[in-house]
Amino acid sequence: MTSGPYSSDTAPLAHSDVLVLDYLAALWAATEDLEPDLRDELMTTVADYIAMRRAAGADPQGDPSPVLRRLGSPESLAAAARRGRMPAHLRRPVTQVAVPAPVPSSGTEYAGLALLAAGTVVLPVISPLAGLLLISGSPRWSAGQKTAAWVLTAGPVMLGFALVLAAIAFGGGPEALVVAYLMMVGGAFVAGLSLLPGLSSRRTYPQGY
């Protein structure tokens, strides 16, 4: 003889499942005066919350009483819904702002730094100037960073030229030329180092900032 749906061989519900069903039944009864859509939303949210918490526990089929206590009584949930707000522990977490990935550096930016820091050894004035022009067109560095690089580069160049002119005017030796060269190279190299961290920056700056 085939067993009916309510025959004695139907597997009984676990005690933990009975507790959850009793809680949901009590919540359904406590919210009978709510708008149907709001009532359905609350029931779905609570049921999902219970299922998520139980699945995250060490024993998904274990005692759900701690989860139900955290929810509060069905009456308190119904009262909160009547006031037009969802209890804090049932609210969906705010979507976190994704941390922007590092912006890939272009070959132009690498070329600008190379001309500024390394090319200055061969062409102390022309190479840093070309590098700074390339860097100035990149949005990776702020206007303040670019200005600082120009000052670090141009300042020693002007001082170097002044030193060379003074050496020519007053009969200075080759030592003045060496010092002027080192000043020009050193200034451009320091400027390149100051811009180097920008290659791994996670943001770019709008032009003019």
Side-chain angles (χ1 to χ4, degrees), residues 52-144:
M52 179 187 66
R53 288 289 180 177
R54 294 184 71 187
D59 181 10
Q61 299 302 319
D63 184 11
S65 297
V67 178
L68 301 181
R69 283 196 298 268
R70 177 175 174 79
L71 279 170
S73 67
E75 292 75 17
S76 65
L77 291 181
R82 291 188 192 95
R83 292 193 297 269
R85 66 180 185 87
M86 192 71 70
H89 52 282
L90 288 178
R91 295 173 187 164
R92 294 182 179 179
V94 177
T95 303
Q96 295 183 350
V97 178
V99 177
V103 179
S105 299
S106 67
T108 301
E109 293 164 343
Y110 281 110
L113 285 180
L115 289 171
L116 185 60
T120 186
V121 176
V122 180
L123 297 172
V125 178
I126 299 175
S127 180
L129 176 61
L132 286 172
L133 290 176
L134 292 177
I135 288 170
S136 296
S138 170
R140 180 168 297 278
W141 294 282
S142 68

